[in-house]
Amino acid sequence: MNADRTDQAIARTVPAARAPHPPVRGELRRVADGVHVWRPLPGVGWGLANCGLVTAGSSAAWIDTPYDRTLADQFLALCRPLLAEGTAIDWLLVTHGNGDHLWGWEAVPDARVVYTRAAATHIAHEPDPCDLHRLVHDADPGTLVGWYLSRHFGRYRWPETRLPQPALTFTGEVEIAVGDIPVQLTQLPPAHTTGDLIAYLPRQRVCFSGDIVFAATEQEAGDHPVHWAGPLENVIDGCDRVLATDATVFVPGHGPVLDRAGVLAHRDYLCHLRDRVQDLHASGAPATEAARRIAAENRYPALHLRERLSITVGLQYRHLDETPQAPMLVQMQALAQLAWELEYPGVPLP
């Protein structure tokens, strides 16, 4: 690419980082008796997580929340017509501690919050919502990380968001009753995060997998999974635990609702990714180069945000090499660099 075209590409890209984001339009879909799923649309993009509504008589529960108060209020508005008169959301069951599944909790401030004890530790060591708000909205979009954060997280707002105090943390398994509907919560070993759980409704045969599963189908696109704890073997085992619930409806953390075949297809993807990383690691390729090669192969074109492979591949390398986790800003730099290379091949980094 010549210098003029390079300058034009950079001028076209970096100022657009502060452009308005298209609005998110959520839909509430019934998946079983008393069980609905809030699906944010568009269905691809950082932070656009699925949430559940469980209703039974005068009791109701959310399973996870949207990423910020604006989206959570939208979810709540769609829930209200389905609630019995005088009913409030009295439970909030959180599949893991990432903000896109928790930080909208202030829309239901009286709900009793439940997550694993390991999730509580994870939350305590993560940047809080106000810190992330400043990082995203004060970042210089002329820098590589600032460009990426503005583009993918600039639609969210947490300037005064507080974190909830849980009513219950647990290890192992616990059952919550939403009216007369049992919800079985099962802690998983470190996988997507260090504090994942799955929520299973045995009467309805519906399983909420959290981010153990990122879904895409021929009809609905999704995003590449991004995992923070791992190793990938644990994520694959988590898929097995999801499948072992005897559910017929599977609600992933992100992407379209799946049947059993859909979860098996995602498990196959994870096995392919694990094996591909193992081969590249054995060949001596550095983690960044391994992520770049796998992204270029684009074996699963229905999965967007290929740059997230830099995080997941780096995670697996860390377990293979038995090395400590890189600082978050280092991981974000690698993520943003791969995103730029995929979108603007041959264009110098900003």
Side-chain angles (χ1 to χ4, degrees):
M1 179 176 289
N2 63 40
D4 288 342
R5 290 181 64 194
T6 297
D7 291 343
Q8 291 170 8
I10 294 173
R12 182 175 67 246
T13 303
V14 175
R18 293 295 192 195
H21 292 80
V24 175
R25 177 178 56 87
E27 293 184 352
L28 197 59
R29 305 177 184 178
R30 181 183 181 276
V31 296
D33 184 29
V35 185
H36 290 74
V37 174
W38 183 79
R39 286 272 289 114
L41 299 172
V44 296
W46 281 93
L48 297 174
N50 298 325
C51 304
L53 169 68
V54 181
T55 57
S58 60
S59 185
W62 275 6
I63 300 177
D64 289 340
T65 79
Y67 208 174
D68 67 7
R69 180 64 183 271
T70 297
L71 293 180
D73 285 342
Q74 181 191 131
F75 177 29
L76 183 59
L78 293 173
C79 291
R80 284 195 174 107
L82 302 174
L83 303 177
E85 185 176 354
T87 297
I89 307 298
D90 47 8
W91 289 103
L92 171 54
L93 313 177
V94 182
T95 60
H96 60 287
N98 286 352
D100 56 338
H101 296 258
L102 174 62
W103 288 359
W105 76 275
E106 289 175 315
V108 288
D110 297 326
R112 289 166 284 181
V113 178
V114 181
Y115 45 71
T116 68
R117 200 165 298 165
T121 301
H122 166 89
I123 291 166
H125 289 89
E126 287 288 292
D128 70 25
C130 298
D131 288 340
L132 187 59
H133 182 89
R134 287 190 294 270
L135 179 63
V136 169
H137 294 280
D138 294 346
D140 178 0
T143 65
L144 188 61
V145 171
W147 164 78
Y148 193 84
L149 290 175
S150 298
R151 166 177 281 202
H152 292 283
F153 295 88
R155 62 163 38 106
Y156 305 113
R157 298 288 186 274
W158 318 280
E160 298 177 353
T161 300
R162 300 171 297 113
L163 292 172
Q165 291 298 317
L168 173 65
T169 62
F170 71 96
T171 59
E173 299 182 355
V174 68
E175 184 172 294
I176 301 296
V178 181
D180 63 352
I181 296 178
V183 184
Q184 298 171 357
L185 306 179
T186 302
Q187 179 186 11
L188 300 178
H192 175 67
T193 69
T194 56
D196 302 319
L197 66 80
I198 59 175
Y200 177 51
L201 287 72
R203 186 179 303 170
Q204 289 84 357
R205 298 181 71 187
V206 175
C207 182
F208 288 80
S209 71
D211 284 2
I212 294 299
V213 178
F214 285 75
T217 65
E218 292 183 0
Q219 294 74 34
E220 295 186 68
D223 291 320
H224 272 276
V226 56
H227 296 300
W228 305 99
L232 282 173
E233 287 80 3
N234 284 7
V235 185
I236 294 165
D237 289 346
C239 290
D240 291 335
R241 295 287 293 273
V242 167
L243 291 164
T245 61
D246 198 35
T248 57
V249 176
F250 300 88
V251 183
H254 299 258
V257 174
L258 299 175
D259 57 13
R260 184 177 183 86
V263 178
L264 286 168
H266 181 70
R267 185 187 185 281
D268 287 345
Y269 158 83
L270 292 172
C271 291
H272 165 75
L273 180 58
R274 176 201 59 196
D275 295 345
R276 190 76 183 96
V277 172
Q278 177 68 44
D279 290 344
L280 289 165
H281 180 270
S283 76
T288 52
E289 178 59 24
R292 187 176 292 112
R293 291 187 195 178
I294 297 170
E297 292 164 4
N298 198 21
R299 179 166 172 167
Y300 298 90
L303 294 173
H304 293 226
L305 299 178
R306 283 181 287 159
E307 66 270 16
R308 301 210 300 200
L309 286 162
S310 69
I311 302 293
T312 303
V313 171
L315 159 81
Q316 192 68 358
Y317 264 64
R318 173 166 61 87
H319 285 282
L320 290 169
D321 293 333
E322 299 183 347
T323 55
Q325 185 174 17
M328 182 57 67
L329 285 178
V330 173
Q331 295 183 63
M332 288 302 301
Q333 182 75 22
L335 173 78
Q337 179 171 335
L338 182 55
W340 183 274
E341 291 173 358
L342 289 169
E343 188 162 356
Y344 302 107
V347 177
L349 299 175

